[in-house]
Amino acid sequence: MEAAEKNVSNKKLISFRIIKKASEGDIQAINEVLKHYEGYIANLSIRKMYDEYGSVHYCVDETLRRRLETKLIKTILGFKIKR
């Protein structure tokens, strides 16, 4: 249990203030959320490509990356905070 708690405390979380501002449509806050998930989105967007010689290359599929970013923005804007 202690190891799991250490993992959570080592990760930087998005502050409530940023989440609230992003859900209200603040562009800078939305960009901060996108920046926070930038690495994760890039990792999800990696695809295996083959060149004309049959060699394998891994690269970020920009179309997929943009689609994931757009989906995240849409989700942020639809997020409702209840108290």
Side-chain angles (χ1 to χ4, degrees), residues 9-83:
S9 65
N10 289 336
K11 294 180 182 179
K12 185 171 169 75
L13 302 175
I14 302 171
S15 71
F16 178 77
R17 180 183 57 84
I18 297 296
I19 294 170
K20 186 173 185 312
K21 289 174 88 174
S23 67
E24 293 169 352
D26 184 296
I27 295 171
Q28 287 181 323
I30 291 171
N31 285 335
E32 285 189 44
V33 174
L34 287 173
K35 180 75 172 159
H36 180 80
Y37 288 106
E38 181 178 48
Y40 181 64
I41 290 172
N43 192 24
L44 290 175
S45 303
I46 293 176
R47 295 289 175 243
K48 187 188 317 186
M49 305 285 184
Y50 297 94
D51 63 11
E52 62 271 10
Y53 304 108
S55 300
V56 176
H57 298 279
Y58 292 92
C59 61
V60 174
D61 182 346
E62 290 297 322
T63 304
L64 178 56
R65 186 176 66 81
R66 290 290 179 196
R67 289 177 64 196
L68 290 171
E69 286 176 347
T70 303
K71 182 71 173 177
L72 178 57
I73 292 169
K74 183 178 175 184
T75 303
I76 290 168
L77 294 174
F79 188 74
K80 302 295 180 222
I81 298 174
K82 295 182 181 178
R83 288 190 176 220

